[in-house]
Amino acid sequence: VTSAMDDEPPTLDGNPFDYSQRFRYRWTHKALHTSLISVAPGERRIVDISGARVEIGLPAGGAGVAGVVIADPCVAYGSIVALVGCTYGVRFELARRLPALLDAFVGSNVTDVSWWAVLGDNLYDRTGEVTETFFNALSVGTKSKPLMTVMGNHDYWALGTPQVATRWDQFGNGFMQWYAQDTMAAERLRPGDPDPPFDFSVDPDGGRTPSMPFGGKITAAANSFWYNQMGNVGLIGFSGANEHDEVVPYLYQACAAMHDMRPEVRVVLLVGHWDVHNLGCEAEMDVPDLYELVASIPGCNEFANRGALKFFMGHTHCNVPHPHGHVNTGFMVAGQGMEGCGNFGIPVVDTTLERLRVYYFPIVVDPEEPTSMSEERYRSVLDCVSRKGWRACTRHAITWLDQPLS
């Protein structure tokens, strides 16, 4: 739970949160309140957060699940980058449409979506105000579902590259505390532990003087690598801004865990931001390049050998299957408002009924099409999914992938 620094700290089931502190380094007008609690897979639990009842849960181990995966969402308010580059966020009215679609697909009481993911460049937010406004527009149902996310270049440097970094950039610090992922930095925490679930060892302003406003250090790699399980899906998330040698040991640990999660885990998804090596991405750390390494690591190689290791990414602002020739393996999901291809829609990953499917619900197909056409498509998808759940609405979707689970 995040709050304004001056607000009364919230409670969890009438007690203080394990960790309840002001954000450090960036977005320091906010505070984070977080605890580790036990939720049995396959069950739901009601928690009381300062008097509000919130239902949370995890899918049963080995159960087929569905998840929504997007990247590079841009809603055209607050950020200087968004104001300049969010060409289609304005034209497609994503400040209105994207929260409504996420609530329908992820948070409604007729959906079976168990998790959702945002793969970097999250709202192009330097100061935290854009993020707060966007999340305030989402329903509690959406916000109570597990959210997986990774950092992109604009989550470190507002202008997208370390070559023009300034002291006002967040260098990943605001991001990591707002989204509070279960990263390697929190690996040793246990319920009741008051220690921070972050590695604060890197001061973004370390070594800088008031007369030197440029440059800065990104947050430690342990804050941006994670792996977990959702039903029969294993997920591995990383940041391409970290150096290859820092991440490789984490990958071996994650792949060993994927091996140990069998037979429950049937599919492994590698998720990151960069699709190419540029704009702050370290060598061999774009998603397609790292996928080739992961596919060779013991534990993950067995999934790759039977076509059950896939990757999702953003960065290039398009929604397309099979990017860069990775047919039936890779998916780009970054057509969410920024300049680029000019398409927009909602991708859904589904591992139920002994199959692995990726559906894409297009809202805007061509940026030059009449606004009335995309609005009609949006209304049709939103109405159907809100009333019936997305499974009853696949006539509105394009099938990007459909293969049996081995």
Side-chain angles (χ1 to χ4, degrees):
V1 177
T2 58
S3 68
M5 188 58 217
D6 296 333
D7 290 349
E8 183 75 18
T11 58
L12 176 64
D13 292 332
N15 300 306
F17 280 82
D18 295 346
Y19 175 83
S20 186
Q21 297 291 333
R22 182 178 190 167
F23 277 30
R24 198 177 298 186
Y25 298 133
R26 296 294 187 270
W27 300 10
T28 55
H29 56 292
K30 301 182 185 300
L32 173 66
H33 318 276
T34 183
S35 291
L36 281 172
I37 63 174
S38 177
V39 179
E43 297 183 5
R44 310 293 294 175
R45 174 174 172 176
I46 303 294
V47 296
D48 182 297
I49 300 178
S50 295
R53 290 168 55 84
V54 179
E55 183 176 347
I56 58 177
L58 293 172
V65 292
V68 166
V69 188
I70 65 172
D72 301 68
C74 186
V75 293
Y77 48 72
S79 163
I80 185 172
V81 175
L83 292 173
V84 173
C86 197
T87 308
Y88 299 119
V90 176
R91 188 185 303 181
F92 303 159
E93 300 182 66
L94 295 201
R96 170 177 65 92
R97 288 176 171 177
L98 186 54
L101 287 166
L102 288 174
D103 282 349
F105 277 87
V106 179
S108 76
N109 58 11
V110 295
T111 188
D112 68 346
V113 166
S114 299
W115 58 275
W116 58 300
V118 186
L119 305 185
D121 287 2
N122 292 11
L123 304 164
Y124 298 83
D125 191 1
R126 175 184 270 172
T127 64
E129 277 71 23
V130 181
T131 301
E132 182 175 352
T133 300
F134 183 82
F135 273 79
N136 283 342
L138 297 175
S139 69
V140 172
T142 299
K143 290 185 284 190
S144 63
K145 295 286 180 72
L147 167 63
M148 273 72 79
T149 189
V150 295
M151 299 185 200
N153 49 313
H154 289 277
D155 301 309
Y156 294 105
W157 317 285
L159 297 180
T161 174
Q163 279 68 41
V164 291
T166 75
R167 68 193 320 158
W168 299 283
D169 289 332
Q170 56 151 309
F171 301 101
N173 287 279
F175 179 109
M176 77 176 188
Q177 292 171 89
W178 178 276
Y179 293 101
Q181 298 293 283
D182 185 15
T183 65
M184 300 304 297
E187 183 179 21
R188 291 177 175 81
L189 294 184
R190 295 294 180 266
D193 195 329
D195 291 338
F198 310 108
D199 179 348
F200 284 122
S201 63
V202 180
D203 181 348
D205 304 312
R208 188 191 290 126
T209 65
S211 61
M212 295 291 291
F214 301 107
K217 300 176 182 179
I218 69 171
T219 184
N223 294 314
S224 55
F225 189 96
W226 50 260
Y227 59 90
N228 54 44
Q229 177 184 354
M230 284 286 145
N232 62 359
V233 177
L235 296 108
I236 302 173
F238 73 99
S239 168
N242 298 130
E243 294 185 3
H244 191 263
D245 290 348
E246 291 182 292
V247 174
V248 168
Y250 295 153
L251 289 171
Y252 273 82
Q253 181 176 334
C255 287
M258 295 301 138
H259 172 83
D260 292 343
M261 291 174 188
R262 300 175 314 155
E264 289 186 352
V265 168
R266 311 275 299 279
V267 178
V268 174
L269 306 182
L270 178 70
V271 298
H273 178 72
W274 283 264
D275 69 305
V276 291
H277 174 218
N278 69 3
L279 299 177
C281 182
E282 292 289 334
E284 302 179 298
M285 287 299 292
D286 58 87
V287 180
D289 274 355
L290 202 68
Y291 171 86
E292 298 300 332
L293 172 62
V294 172
S296 71
I297 293 176
C300 288
N301 61 352
E302 56 205 76
F303 291 94
N305 291 340
R306 54 186 176 82
L309 175 65
K310 310 295 184 183
F311 66 82
F312 285 77
M313 61 190 177
H315 195 53
T316 295
H317 304 134
C318 303
N319 292 327
V320 293
H322 327 306
H324 306 306
H326 288 80
V327 178
N328 293 334
T329 301
F331 304 88
M332 184 181 292
V333 292
Q336 306 292 331
M338 278 295 279
E339 50 77 29
C341 291
N343 59 2
F344 165 59
I346 302 296
V348 178
V349 185
D350 178 32
T351 59
T352 64
L353 303 176
E354 290 297 307
R355 300 196 72 80
L356 170 56
R357 298 183 175 98
V358 180
Y359 295 101
Y360 175 62
F361 290 78
I363 304 300
V364 178
V365 175
D366 183 338
E368 301 305 319
E369 68 188 15
T371 302
S372 59
M373 186 177 295
S374 65
E375 181 66 16
E376 180 180 353
R377 206 176 287 123
Y378 163 72
R379 288 293 177 189
S380 296
V381 170
L382 182 65
D383 177 68
C384 184
V385 175
S386 297
R387 290 188 299 107
K388 302 177 182 178
W390 72 270
R391 289 189 186 279
C393 304
T394 53
R395 68 183 183 278
H396 295 290
I398 299 167
T399 302
W400 279 358
L401 178 72
D402 186 355
Q403 70 177 59
L405 288 176
S406 302

